[in-house]
Each structure stands twice: as structure tokens, then as C-alpha cells.
Amino acid sequence: LPAELIDGKAIAESVRKEVAADVERLRRECGVTPGLAVILVGNDPASHTYVSSKAKMCIKLGMNSIKETFPADFSEDKLIAYIRELNARQDVHGILVQLPLPAHVNSRHVIMAVDPRKDVDGLHPENIGLLCMGEPRFIPCTPLGICELLRRSNVEVCGREVVVLGRSGLVGRPISILLSSKNKYGDATVTICHSRSQNKADICRRADILIVAIGRKRFVTADMVKPGAVVIDVGTHPPQTDQETFCGDVDFVPVKEVASKITPVPGGVGPMTIAMLMRNTVDAAFNLSKTPRC
Ligand code: GUN
């Protein structure tokens, strides 16, 4: 039997409904409207698309959106000064600096300038530290989205063997920490596999759940997947010719004949990332306005 599709669009929609209900409750009970500031430096077309989607989603869910675009040669000092203004603003609860930044800007300096209580991207060292300690405050949006996809698709994680292909700071590393920790998403046995790993295919074939975030088009082939495994594809590669469509890091057509459940590209992990950003922003607004959650 071909794999069941994990419908990221539908699951993201149910997350958004929960978030919209919390936005309404914050407004009604505390007079607070959550605000998200998104900053883009430069003119990468994909980044422009992502930033616009984030801003539109804020409005759709009843939140405030502040979108600032700076030219590619904008200085690191000016960027940090702008972030400090946002840190001080009462109406801004979440701040996200779209990555990657131009080469002359040090991303670490920029991320560290964001008030960790407003770091809804979960990338500030304080938030990464809390995640590593098993006391997460903000979990990076893509890893959190993957965990919610698994949980809401009734995929058992506890005690099972997860292989994460990729070790990036944005996805591979945080999700491996999250799934191996003692929490509602965790208690898995996690192996991280990366470009320098030997026997990648053998390691991937051990996985009950295979999470692929290696950034290489159709890298995972059917022989790398254990029959019945759950496959999560984090890659997104835009079409390069008129005949092509978007594809992921997984060779979808043959792999879906082997897996039990699989995320499509597009419509799998992608929609969840934005939904979790909205979730984190509302959580930030709750925390900053000291409102006890129901
Ligand atoms: N670029 C691609 N994904 C992300 C993300 O999750 N956060 C930020 N800040 N930039 C990104």
C-alpha cells in the first residue's frame, strides 16, 4: 500500500484556528493584540515571499504585523539599533529576522540583539540553552511544526528510533534535541546523520521515523527507507524548468511506496512553520502581558 499523506495544510489550519481563538481571548480579556515584527535585509526573492506570507498570516489571525525591509547594504549596527527599538516597544511581542542575512552582517550578533522574551524564532542562545536543558521557552518554528505534525497524525515517538538527516541550527540540531528530550514530543532514540557520516543509507534504514533536512534535492531514495517508516521531508527546492514542480529532499514517488506515512512537498512541513510562528507570537504576548493561560 502506498503511504498515507500527512496533510500539513489541514493540520496547520487547525493550529491557526487555536491561535485565532487565543488572539481573541487576549483581546477580550486583556485588551492586548499580539504584534509580530519581521525584518528582511536585501532582496532575495524567496525571502520576500516568506516574509510577506508571515505578515499576511498575522493579519488573517487578528494580530498586528510590522514588516520592515532594508537594502542589502544596510549596516549591522543600524540593524541592531532597529532591533533595540523593537525590543522596547510594548506593541511588539515577537521579533523575527529573516535568514539568511547578507554576508557583511554577522547573524549571531543580530540574533543576540533580539530580546530573548520576544525571540519567537527560538534562535537566541538563551532559548536554545533552555531547549537543551529540557525547559523550552520558544522552540524554533520548523522543529516545533514537525513535532506537531507527528503528534496530530498519531505517530508514536516515545521509545522509537528517529534518524535526523542534517544538523543545521535552524532544523536538524534543535529537532534532534527536542525528540530525544523528556517532554510531550520526546523520549525517542535519536541519531543525527550529516554530510560527513559514513553509511548514511544504512543509518537511515534503521529509522522508524526519518526526518530529512539535508538541503539536497531528492537525496533520500527508496532503498534508504525501512518499509513502514514515517518520512518527514523538510526540503523545498523550487522548479528549475517549466516541466518541473517543487520538490523536497526525498524522492517522493518511489519513497511513498515504501513508507507508511509521508509529508508531501509542498503542503507538508512548510505550512506548519508559519503556523508555529503565529503560535509562538501569541505565547510571547501571553507571557509579556503576564496573563495566566487557561
Ligand atoms: N529562513 C528560512 N527559515 C527561517 C526561519 O525559520 N526563521 C528565520 N528567521 N529565517 C528563516
Side-chain angles (χ1 to χ4, degrees):
L1 275 180
E4 184 187 318
L5 292 188
I6 297 179
D7 187 346
K9 269 199 221 166
I11 297 173
E13 178 59 26
S14 55
V15 171
R16 287 194 294 265
K17 281 197 179 129
E18 296 163 14
V19 173
D22 279 342
V23 171
E24 172 56 19
R25 198 161 65 80
L26 258 170
R27 190 192 61 74
R28 200 176 53 238
E29 292 175 14
C30 326
V32 171
T33 302
L36 173 66
V38 182
I39 305 169
L40 175 62
V41 185
N43 32 37
D44 177 61
S47 291
H48 268 277
T49 309
Y50 295 144
V51 164
S52 297
S53 313
K54 290 167 185 175
K56 272 189 209 142
M57 189 59 69
C58 279
I59 305 298
K60 199 172 153 199
L61 300 188
M63 297 158 54
N64 287 332
S65 161
I66 295 112
K67 182 176 149 218
E68 197 62 63
T69 307
F70 295 119
D73 60 357
F74 200 66
S75 78
E76 182 178 312
D77 287 350
K78 282 189 186 157
L79 181 58
I80 289 175
Y82 181 67
I83 291 170
R84 296 221 166 99
E85 281 175 32
L86 295 173
N87 285 344
R89 274 174 66 166
Q90 295 265 322
D91 61 330
V92 172
H93 304 94
I95 301 170
L96 179 142
V97 183
Q98 187 66 25
L99 301 175
L101 286 165
H104 71 277
V105 178
N106 182 322
S107 316
R108 193 167 54 83
H109 293 169
V110 171
I111 290 167
M112 285 182 70
V114 176
D115 181 335
R117 291 164 307 168
K118 296 189 177 185
D119 168 41
V120 288
D121 229 4
L123 299 179
H124 188 287
E126 185 176 310
N127 289 321
I128 297 286
L130 287 167
L131 175 64
C132 292
M133 289 164 66
E135 295 169 32
R137 180 199 275 142
F138 294 117
I139 297 170
C141 304
T142 302
L144 183 57
I146 295 168
C147 288
E148 284 295 336
L149 275 183
L150 293 171
R151 196 171 71 83
R152 292 168 193 248
S153 309
N154 302 312
V155 174
E156 181 66 87
V157 168
C158 174
R160 299 185 77 202
E161 184 133 13
V162 175
V163 174
V164 178
L165 199 44
R167 57 177 160 184
S168 69
L170 216 49
V171 184
R173 203 169 287 286
I175 194 142
S176 63
I177 293 163
L178 197 51
L179 291 173
S180 59
S181 303
K182 210 174 171 68
N183 61 39
K184 69 173 172 176
Y185 302 120
D187 287 319
T189 304
V190 178
T191 303
I192 306 180
C193 213
H194 49 77
S195 54
R196 305 295 290 269
S197 298
Q198 292 179 353
N199 309 325
K200 280 193 263 299
D202 291 337
I203 298 167
C204 288
R205 248 192 318 271
R206 291 209 313 252
D208 298 312
I209 301 162
L210 179 61
I211 297 175
V212 191
I214 199 163
R216 288 163 69 176
K217 210 168 170 171
R218 299 195 193 93
F219 181 82
V220 169
T221 46
D223 60 300
M224 295 166 76
V225 177
K226 176 164 84 175
V230 174
V231 179
I232 305 291
D233 189 351
V234 185
T236 325
H237 306 276
Q240 259 138 27
T241 66
D242 288 349
Q243 282 77 46
E244 275 186 347
T245 52
F246 271 89
C247 80
D249 290 354
V250 173
D251 196 5
F252 181 81
V253 173
V255 169
K256 91 171 186 316
E257 299 302 319
V258 182
S260 63
K261 294 187 183 193
I262 188 167
T263 57
V265 176
V269 173
M272 290 301 287
T273 297
I274 297 190
M276 299 330 294
L277 176 65
M278 302 298 120
R279 172 78 270 160
N280 280 350
T281 303
V282 173
D283 288 349
F286 269 112
N287 294 338
L288 289 164
S289 50
K290 306 259 183 305
T291 312
R293 304 290 303 270
C294 289

